[in-house]
C-alpha cells in the first residue's frame, strides 16, 4: 500500500460542506479518478495532469485536481474507492457456487 493513500483517505473523508456537483462534473471527476487509480503509475499521471492544468489554466474543467479546489475531496474519495475496488479480491466461480 502506498503511504499517500492514508493522507488521501483522510482528505477524502473531510466533512466540509462541498458545493453541489452537476452530473457532468461528477462523471468527469469519476472518469479521471478511475483512470488515475487504474494506471500503474497513477501518481505520475496525476502530476502530469496537474501540470497540464497549470499550463492550460482550464480550472473550470480540471480544477478538481488541485488540492485547494472545493471538488478535490470528492475526487480523492472516488480515487480511493476505485483503488479499493481494484484491490478487493473477487470471489472465484467455485466459491460463489458453494453459497
Amino acid at each position: 500500500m502506498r503511504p499517500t493513500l492514508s493522507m488521501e483517505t483522510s482528505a477524502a473523508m473531510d466533512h466540509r460542506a462541498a458545493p453541489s456537483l452537476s452530473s457532468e462534473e461528477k462523471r468527469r471527476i469519476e472518469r479521471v479518478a478511475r483512470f488515475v487509480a487504474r494506471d500503474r503509475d497513477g501518481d505520475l499521471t496525476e502530476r502530469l495532469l496537474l501540470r497540464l492544468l497549470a499550463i492550460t489554466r482550464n480550472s473550470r474543467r480540471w480544477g478538481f485536481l488541485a488540492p485547494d479546489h472545493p471538488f478535490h475531496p470528492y475526487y480523492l474519495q472516488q480515487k480511493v474507492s476505485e483503488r479499493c475496488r481494484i484491490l478487493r479480491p473477487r470471489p472465484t466461480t467455485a466459491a460463489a457456487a458453494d453459497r
Side-chain angles (χ1 to χ4, degrees), residues 26-41:
K26 283 181 83 166
R27 276 194 308 273
R28 183 172 40 254
I29 291 171
E30 290 166 1
R31 202 173 320 133
V32 172
R34 191 176 315 117
F35 176 76
V36 170
R38 290 181 180 187
D39 190 28
R40 183 179 306 192
D41 194 1

Side-chain angles (χ1 to χ4, degrees), residues 17-91:
S20 60
L21 291 160
S22 71
S23 60
E24 179 185 334
E25 290 168 325
K26 283 181 83 166
R27 276 194 308 273
R28 183 172 40 254
I29 291 171
E30 290 166 1
R31 202 173 320 133
V32 172
R34 191 176 315 117
F35 176 76
V36 170
R38 290 181 180 187
D39 190 28
R40 183 179 306 192
D41 194 1
D43 293 335
L44 176 62
T45 303
E46 194 170 54
R47 285 194 304 271
L48 288 171
L49 290 172
L50 278 167
R51 181 69 181 131
L52 284 172
L53 170 65
I55 291 170
T56 63
R57 294 188 175 103
N58 193 349
S59 63
R60 183 173 176 217
R61 186 168 178 92
W62 307 107
F64 64 86
L65 291 164
D68 61 344
H69 194 275
F71 296 159
H72 190 69
Y74 181 73
Y75 164 70
L76 290 179
Q77 176 187 12
Q78 294 302 309
K79 186 171 71 167
V80 169
S81 176
E82 184 65 24
R83 282 185 181 166
C84 290
R85 193 184 70 71
I86 291 168
L87 295 174
R88 199 175 313 133
R90 295 182 179 159

